[in-house]
Amino acid sequence: MSYAPDGGSPPPKLRMPESWPGLGDAPADVYIDHTRVRQILKGLRDELGTLRGRAPATMSATWSGPGTAGEVQGLTNVGPAETGPWEAAKYFGLNAEQAHEVLSGKYQLLIDRIEAMVSAVEQAVVNYEKGHTSSSA
């Protein structure tokens, strides 16, 4: 069993159903519309842009729109200072602070990994087209 570099839990094993498209023997007449794939990837990139956020006119580092990494970073930052000095509130604040660190980091990691997946699929399309062009010459 291997663990994540940050010492977290190992990723879950992913088992694809045998009926998942592309796992079995592909029929010879399978066609993938690369133009449509590129359109879908562009849509994913656009959505990722909205999750990453952009600095607003006020130049606030914590608010860049609903659902953005900046919003998660800014609005989930609650700790003992915000919850109060009495014991139960202090420990609640410490728990919230720890959850904030994990959540905001994992949220950014998710965005980065989706971006990497989009780049990999784009490169696969380019490689396929280059191979097809050179083998058809």
Side-chain angles (χ1 to χ4, degrees):
M1 178 184 313
S2 63
Y3 288 89
D6 63 356
S9 301
K13 298 249 186 244
L14 181 62
R15 182 175 225 163
M16 304 297 273
E18 292 189 25
S19 62
W20 189 269
L23 285 184
D25 295 331
D29 62 344
V30 171
Y31 172 75
I32 297 174
D33 182 353
H34 291 157
T35 302
R36 181 68 181 127
V37 170
R38 285 189 174 101
Q39 289 171 343
I40 292 168
L41 294 174
K42 181 188 180 312
L44 277 171
R45 279 199 193 278
D46 292 346
E47 291 298 321
L48 287 174
T50 63
L51 293 177
R52 285 192 191 283
R54 290 164 186 78
T58 62
M59 297 310 289
S60 168
T62 60
W63 176 260
S64 55
T68 62
E71 181 192 35
V72 170
Q73 180 72 25
L75 298 181
T76 62
N77 192 6
V78 176
E82 290 80 15
T83 57
W86 50 289
E87 190 174 0
K90 176 183 163 189
Y91 287 115
F92 174 78
L94 289 170
N95 286 333
E97 190 173 56
Q98 183 178 18
H100 161 73
E101 289 174 21
V102 171
L103 175 65
S104 60
K106 296 298 181 183
Y107 192 71
Q108 186 61 51
L109 184 61
L110 172 67
I111 294 169
D112 292 343
R113 289 200 173 156
I114 293 172
E115 177 70 33
M117 183 270 312
V118 168
S119 295
V121 173
E122 286 173 335
Q123 189 59 52
V125 169
V126 168
N127 292 347
Y128 180 87
E129 289 174 340
K130 281 182 184 178
H132 183 71
T133 300
S134 65
S135 69
S136 299

